[in-house]
Amino acid sequence: MRIAVCPGSFDPVTLGHIDVIRRARSMFDRVLVVVAVNAGKTPLFSLDTRVALVQDAVAGLDGVEVVAVPGLLADFLASSGACAVVKGVRGSADIAAEVPMALMNRHLSQVETIFVAADPTLSHISSSLVKDVARHHGPVDDLVSAAVRDELHTAFGLER
Ligand code: PNS
């Protein structure tokens, strides 16, 4: 049983994240989606809401589970039996941000990180841009799940 972890802050989960999770599942027997805390970001949604939205988005995916990890990712990697972290990268800015985390996670847990290149049809999507579009009442239907769209509408005072 080969287990991969897909970690992120998922604030909120996007169709780009779901594509990476699907692709991780095509390479591993089981995928644990870890909703974690990024100390450099102030989330819009609570950890519980982010977990619920990811659970809804991956509900149809066999072999995929969602876990909240409020602490150190490396500790979870060591205890979960995961043999890899899988992360999507959209370009050089993502690589610059992700490589130091991959190296630190390997240092702490000996677990390697595998990067998958974002699907070009989804590489314009980021959680922060989705929030910015929604904040200004722009359309997000083809960027996120219906549940995330509804939650964004509620957060930014729009009718559901
Ligand atoms: O989606 P993000 O914000 O790029 O994900 C980053 C995240 C949440 C995976 C990272 O900040 C993280 O692993 N946080 C948990 C705490 C931790 O382990 N910090 C050290 C990272 S090397």
Side-chain angles (χ1 to χ4, degrees), residues 80-100:
S80 64
C83 60
V85 172
V86 177
K87 278 226 111 174
V89 286
R90 290 159 297 195
S92 55
D94 281 352
I95 292 169
E98 294 294 342
V99 168

Side-chain angles (χ1 to χ4, degrees), residues 40-59:
K41 297 178 181 173
T42 303
L44 173 65
F45 296 114
S46 70
L47 190 60
D48 286 350
T49 299
R50 287 182 275 142
V51 168
L53 291 172
V54 180
Q55 271 166 343
D56 170 83
V58 301

Side-chain angles (χ1 to χ4, degrees), residues 22-143:
R22 276 181 198 281
R23 290 162 64 191
R25 177 65 182 89
S26 75
M27 296 185 282
F28 292 87
D29 301 308
R30 213 172 137 215
V31 170
L32 303 176
V33 183
V34 164
V35 183
V37 175
N38 184 333
K41 297 178 181 173
T42 303
L44 173 65
F45 296 114
S46 70
L47 190 60
D48 286 350
T49 299
R50 287 182 275 142
V51 168
L53 291 172
V54 180
Q55 271 166 343
D56 170 83
V58 301
L61 298 180
D62 183 45
V64 177
E65 291 155 55
V66 187
V67 193
V69 174
L72 196 62
L73 180 63
D75 287 343
F76 178 79
L77 294 173
S79 66
S80 64
C83 60
V85 172
V86 177
K87 278 226 111 174
V89 286
R90 290 159 297 195
S92 55
D94 281 352
I95 292 169
E98 294 294 342
V99 168
M101 288 194 278
L103 293 174
M104 182 57 78
N105 283 324
R106 191 179 68 152
H107 169 76
L108 295 172
S109 68
Q110 289 76 54
V111 175
E112 297 282 0
T113 296
I114 297 171
F115 295 116
V116 296
D119 186 303
T121 65
L122 301 169
S123 60
H124 58 294
I125 304 175
S126 69
S127 297
S128 49
L129 285 179
V130 163
K131 284 180 282 190
D132 203 32
V133 171
R135 183 176 285 115
H136 295 96
H137 301 179
V140 294
D141 299 77
D142 50 1
L143 307 175

